mmCIF file with all atom_site columns, all heavy atoms in Angstrom:
data_model
loop_
_atom_site.group_PDB
_atom_site.id
_atom_site.type_symbol
_atom_site.label_atom_id
_atom_site.label_alt_id
_atom_site.label_comp_id
_atom_site.label_asym_id
_atom_site.label_entity_id
_atom_site.label_seq_id
_atom_site.pdbx_PDB_ins_code
_atom_site.Cartn_x
_atom_site.Cartn_y
_atom_site.Cartn_z
_atom_site.occupancy
_atom_site.B_iso_or_equiv
_atom_site.pdbx_formal_charge
_atom_site.auth_seq_id
_atom_site.auth_comp_id
_atom_site.auth_asym_id
_atom_site.auth_atom_id
_atom_site.pdbx_PDB_model_num
ATOM 1   N N   . TYR C 1 8  ? 2.764  20.677 4.238  1.00 92.00 ? 23 TYR C N   1
ATOM 2   C CA  . TYR C 1 8  ? 2.937  22.139 4.214  1.00 92.00 ? 23 TYR C CA  1
ATOM 3   C C   . TYR C 1 8  ? 2.696  22.682 5.618  1.00 92.00 ? 23 TYR C C   1
ATOM 4   O O   . TYR C 1 8  ? 2.121  22.011 6.474  1.00 92.00 ? 23 TYR C O   1
ATOM 5   C CB  . TYR C 1 8  ? 1.904  22.796 3.278  1.00 92.00 ? 23 TYR C CB  1
ATOM 6   C CG  . TYR C 1 8  ? 2.063  22.490 1.816  1.00 92.00 ? 23 TYR C CG  1
ATOM 7   C CD1 . TYR C 1 8  ? 1.528  21.334 1.270  1.00 92.00 ? 23 TYR C CD1 1
ATOM 8   C CD2 . TYR C 1 8  ? 2.736  23.360 0.963  1.00 92.00 ? 23 TYR C CD2 1
ATOM 9   C CE1 . TYR C 1 8  ? 1.658  21.053 -0.085 1.00 92.00 ? 23 TYR C CE1 1
ATOM 10  C CE2 . TYR C 1 8  ? 2.872  23.094 -0.387 1.00 92.00 ? 23 TYR C CE2 1
ATOM 11  C CZ  . TYR C 1 8  ? 2.325  21.938 -0.909 1.00 92.00 ? 23 TYR C CZ  1
ATOM 12  O OH  . TYR C 1 8  ? 2.456  21.676 -2.243 1.00 92.00 ? 23 TYR C OH  1
ATOM 13  N N   . HIS C 1 9  ? 3.086  23.941 5.832  1.00 89.00 ? 24 HIS C N   1
ATOM 14  C CA  . HIS C 1 9  ? 2.748  24.630 7.087  1.00 89.00 ? 24 HIS C CA  1
ATOM 15  C C   . HIS C 1 9  ? 1.961  25.891 6.738  1.00 89.00 ? 24 HIS C C   1
ATOM 16  O O   . HIS C 1 9  ? 0.832  25.815 6.335  1.00 89.00 ? 24 HIS C O   1
ATOM 17  C CB  . HIS C 1 9  ? 4.003  24.937 7.899  1.00 89.00 ? 24 HIS C CB  1
ATOM 18  C CG  . HIS C 1 9  ? 4.542  23.735 8.624  1.00 89.00 ? 24 HIS C CG  1
ATOM 19  N ND1 . HIS C 1 9  ? 5.240  22.732 8.006  1.00 89.00 ? 24 HIS C ND1 1
ATOM 20  C CD2 . HIS C 1 9  ? 4.460  23.378 9.922  1.00 89.00 ? 24 HIS C CD2 1
ATOM 21  C CE1 . HIS C 1 9  ? 5.565  21.803 8.885  1.00 89.00 ? 24 HIS C CE1 1
ATOM 22  N NE2 . HIS C 1 9  ? 5.106  22.174 10.067 1.00 89.00 ? 24 HIS C NE2 1
ATOM 23  N N   . ASP C 1 10 ? 2.614  27.058 6.856  1.00 89.00 ? 25 ASP C N   1
ATOM 24  C CA  . ASP C 1 10 ? 1.900  28.326 6.671  1.00 89.00 ? 25 ASP C CA  1
ATOM 25  C C   . ASP C 1 10 ? 1.862  28.786 5.224  1.00 89.00 ? 25 ASP C C   1
ATOM 26  O O   . ASP C 1 10 ? 2.810  28.571 4.481  1.00 89.00 ? 25 ASP C O   1
ATOM 27  C CB  . ASP C 1 10 ? 2.615  29.432 7.447  1.00 89.00 ? 25 ASP C CB  1
ATOM 28  C CG  . ASP C 1 10 ? 2.461  29.255 8.925  1.00 89.00 ? 25 ASP C CG  1
ATOM 29  O OD1 . ASP C 1 10 ? 1.849  28.259 9.332  1.00 89.00 ? 25 ASP C OD1 1
ATOM 30  O OD2 . ASP C 1 10 ? 2.964  30.111 9.668  1.00 89.00 ? 25 ASP C OD2 1
ATOM 31  N N   . VAL C 1 11 ? 0.770  29.444 4.866  1.00 92.00 ? 26 VAL C N   1
ATOM 32  C CA  . VAL C 1 11 ? 0.708  30.187 3.606  1.00 92.00 ? 26 VAL C CA  1
ATOM 33  C C   . VAL C 1 11 ? 0.220  31.580 3.974  1.00 92.00 ? 26 VAL C C   1
ATOM 34  O O   . VAL C 1 11 ? -0.863 31.739 4.537  1.00 92.00 ? 26 VAL C O   1
ATOM 35  C CB  . VAL C 1 11 ? -0.255 29.520 2.602  1.00 92.00 ? 26 VAL C CB  1
ATOM 36  C CG1 . VAL C 1 11 ? -0.300 30.340 1.308  1.00 92.00 ? 26 VAL C CG1 1
ATOM 37  C CG2 . VAL C 1 11 ? 0.184  28.089 2.300  1.00 92.00 ? 26 VAL C CG2 1
ATOM 38  N N   . VAL C 1 12 ? 1.046  32.585 3.690  1.00 86.00 ? 27 VAL C N   1
ATOM 39  C CA  . VAL C 1 12 ? 0.696  33.955 4.073  1.00 86.00 ? 27 VAL C CA  1
ATOM 40  C C   . VAL C 1 12 ? 0.514  34.796 2.811  1.00 86.00 ? 27 VAL C C   1
ATOM 41  O O   . VAL C 1 12 ? 0.982  34.412 1.739  1.00 86.00 ? 27 VAL C O   1
ATOM 42  C CB  . VAL C 1 12 ? 1.804  34.575 4.961  1.00 86.00 ? 27 VAL C CB  1
ATOM 43  C CG1 . VAL C 1 12 ? 1.856  33.886 6.306  1.00 86.00 ? 27 VAL C CG1 1
ATOM 44  C CG2 . VAL C 1 12 ? 3.165  34.484 4.286  1.00 86.00 ? 27 VAL C CG2 1
ATOM 45  N N   . GLU C 1 13 ? -0.175 35.928 2.949  1.00 85.00 ? 28 GLU C N   1
ATOM 46  C CA  . GLU C 1 13 ? -0.412 36.776 1.772  1.00 85.00 ? 28 GLU C CA  1
ATOM 47  C C   . GLU C 1 13 ? 0.918  37.192 1.153  1.00 85.00 ? 28 GLU C C   1
ATOM 48  O O   . GLU C 1 13 ? 1.113  37.102 -0.046 1.00 85.00 ? 28 GLU C O   1
ATOM 49  C CB  . GLU C 1 13 ? -1.236 38.009 2.158  1.00 85.00 ? 28 GLU C CB  1
ATOM 50  C CG  . GLU C 1 13 ? -2.699 37.699 2.498  1.00 85.00 ? 28 GLU C CG  1
ATOM 51  C CD  . GLU C 1 13 ? -3.465 37.025 1.344  1.00 85.00 ? 28 GLU C CD  1
ATOM 52  O OE1 . GLU C 1 13 ? -3.153 37.285 0.167  1.00 85.00 ? 28 GLU C OE1 1
ATOM 53  O OE2 . GLU C 1 13 ? -4.361 36.212 1.645  1.00 85.00 ? 28 GLU C OE2 1
ATOM 54  N N   . GLN C 1 14 ? 1.801  37.691 2.003  1.00 81.00 ? 29 GLN C N   1
ATOM 55  C CA  . GLN C 1 14 ? 3.157  38.016 1.545  1.00 81.00 ? 29 GLN C CA  1
ATOM 56  C C   . GLN C 1 14 ? 4.139  37.458 2.557  1.00 81.00 ? 29 GLN C C   1
ATOM 57  O O   . GLN C 1 14 ? 3.886  37.536 3.763  1.00 81.00 ? 29 GLN C O   1
ATOM 58  C CB  . GLN C 1 14 ? 3.320  39.525 1.447  1.00 81.00 ? 29 GLN C CB  1
ATOM 59  C CG  . GLN C 1 14 ? 2.539  40.070 0.277  1.00 81.00 ? 29 GLN C CG  1
ATOM 60  C CD  . GLN C 1 14 ? 2.789  41.546 0.045  1.00 81.00 ? 29 GLN C CD  1
ATOM 61  O OE1 . GLN C 1 14 ? 3.499  42.194 0.811  1.00 81.00 ? 29 GLN C OE1 1
ATOM 62  N NE2 . GLN C 1 14 ? 2.194  42.065 -0.995 1.00 81.00 ? 29 GLN C NE2 1
ATOM 63  N N   . LEU C 1 15 ? 5.235  36.956 2.063  1.00 76.00 ? 30 LEU C N   1
ATOM 64  C CA  . LEU C 1 15 ? 6.116  36.200 2.939  1.00 76.00 ? 30 LEU C CA  1
ATOM 65  C C   . LEU C 1 15 ? 6.647  37.012 4.121  1.00 76.00 ? 30 LEU C C   1
ATOM 66  O O   . LEU C 1 15 ? 6.806  36.502 5.209  1.00 76.00 ? 30 LEU C O   1
ATOM 67  C CB  . LEU C 1 15 ? 7.289  35.631 2.122  1.00 76.00 ? 30 LEU C CB  1
ATOM 68  C CG  . LEU C 1 15 ? 7.874  34.323 2.633  1.00 76.00 ? 30 LEU C CG  1
ATOM 69  C CD1 . LEU C 1 15 ? 6.790  33.324 2.981  1.00 76.00 ? 30 LEU C CD1 1
ATOM 70  C CD2 . LEU C 1 15 ? 8.819  33.742 1.621  1.00 76.00 ? 30 LEU C CD2 1
ATOM 71  N N   . ASP C 1 16 ? 6.869  38.327 3.925  1.00 70.00 ? 31 ASP C N   1
ATOM 72  C CA  . ASP C 1 16 ? 7.410  39.119 5.033  1.00 70.00 ? 31 ASP C CA  1
ATOM 73  C C   . ASP C 1 16 ? 6.385  39.327 6.158  1.00 70.00 ? 31 ASP C C   1
ATOM 74  O O   . ASP C 1 16 ? 6.701  39.850 7.203  1.00 70.00 ? 31 ASP C O   1
ATOM 75  C CB  . ASP C 1 16 ? 7.959  40.465 4.540  1.00 70.00 ? 31 ASP C CB  1
ATOM 76  C CG  . ASP C 1 16 ? 6.918  41.272 3.804  1.00 70.00 ? 31 ASP C CG  1
ATOM 77  O OD1 . ASP C 1 16 ? 5.743  40.887 3.819  1.00 70.00 ? 31 ASP C OD1 1
ATOM 78  O OD2 . ASP C 1 16 ? 7.282  42.286 3.210  1.00 70.00 ? 31 ASP C OD2 1
ATOM 79  N N   . GLN C 1 17 ? 5.133  38.926 5.892  1.00 53.00 ? 32 GLN C N   1
ATOM 80  C CA  . GLN C 1 17 ? 4.127  39.038 6.952  1.00 53.00 ? 32 GLN C CA  1
ATOM 81  C C   . GLN C 1 17 ? 4.168  37.854 7.912  1.00 53.00 ? 32 GLN C C   1
ATOM 82  O O   . GLN C 1 17 ? 3.435  37.809 8.878  1.00 53.00 ? 32 GLN C O   1
ATOM 83  C CB  . GLN C 1 17 ? 2.716  39.109 6.347  1.00 53.00 ? 32 GLN C CB  1
ATOM 84  C CG  . GLN C 1 17 ? 2.428  40.447 5.709  1.00 53.00 ? 32 GLN C CG  1
ATOM 85  C CD  . GLN C 1 17 ? 1.078  40.442 5.030  1.00 53.00 ? 32 GLN C CD  1
ATOM 86  O OE1 . GLN C 1 17 ? 0.319  39.480 5.156  1.00 53.00 ? 32 GLN C OE1 1
ATOM 87  N NE2 . GLN C 1 17 ? 0.761  41.497 4.323  1.00 53.00 ? 32 GLN C NE2 1
ATOM 88  N N   . SER C 1 18 ? 5.004  36.879 7.602  1.00 51.00 ? 33 SER C N   1
ATOM 89  C CA  . SER C 1 18 ? 5.067  35.714 8.479  1.00 51.00 ? 33 SER C CA  1
ATOM 90  C C   . SER C 1 18 ? 5.814  36.100 9.751  1.00 51.00 ? 33 SER C C   1
ATOM 91  O O   . SER C 1 18 ? 7.022  36.284 9.741  1.00 51.00 ? 33 SER C O   1
ATOM 92  C CB  . SER C 1 18 ? 5.806  34.596 7.752  1.00 51.00 ? 33 SER C CB  1
ATOM 93  O OG  . SER C 1 18 ? 6.070  33.563 8.638  1.00 51.00 ? 33 SER C OG  1
ATOM 94  N N   . ASP C 1 19 ? 5.074  36.264 10.829 1.00 55.00 ? 34 ASP C N   1
ATOM 95  C CA  . ASP C 1 19 ? 5.672  36.725 12.076 1.00 55.00 ? 34 ASP C CA  1
ATOM 96  C C   . ASP C 1 19 ? 5.954  35.522 12.961 1.00 55.00 ? 34 ASP C C   1
ATOM 97  O O   . ASP C 1 19 ? 5.068  34.959 13.566 1.00 55.00 ? 34 ASP C O   1
ATOM 98  C CB  . ASP C 1 19 ? 4.690  37.686 12.766 1.00 55.00 ? 34 ASP C CB  1
ATOM 99  C CG  . ASP C 1 19 ? 5.279  38.205 14.068 1.00 55.00 ? 34 ASP C CG  1
ATOM 100 O OD1 . ASP C 1 19 ? 6.342  37.706 14.476 1.00 55.00 ? 34 ASP C OD1 1
ATOM 101 O OD2 . ASP C 1 19 ? 4.673  39.103 14.667 1.00 55.00 ? 34 ASP C OD2 1
ATOM 102 N N   . ASP C 1 20 ? 7.212  35.149 13.013 1.00 53.00 ? 35 ASP C N   1
ATOM 103 C CA  . ASP C 1 20 ? 7.554  33.922 13.728 1.00 53.00 ? 35 ASP C CA  1
ATOM 104 C C   . ASP C 1 20 ? 7.326  34.010 15.226 1.00 53.00 ? 35 ASP C C   1
ATOM 105 O O   . ASP C 1 20 ? 7.109  33.016 15.893 1.00 53.00 ? 35 ASP C O   1
ATOM 106 C CB  . ASP C 1 20 ? 9.015  33.560 13.447 1.00 53.00 ? 35 ASP C CB  1
ATOM 107 C CG  . ASP C 1 20 ? 9.218  32.064 13.468 1.00 53.00 ? 35 ASP C CG  1
ATOM 108 O OD1 . ASP C 1 20 ? 8.433  31.371 12.805 1.00 53.00 ? 35 ASP C OD1 1
ATOM 109 O OD2 . ASP C 1 20 ? 10.126 31.606 14.166 1.00 53.00 ? 35 ASP C OD2 1
#
Side-chain angles (χ1 to χ4, degrees):
Y23 293 84
H24 282 76
D25 290 3
V26 179
V27 292
E28 289 301 329
Q29 288 186 356
L30 210 46
D31 57 9
Q32 286 175 7
S33 170
D34 181 352
D35 211 49

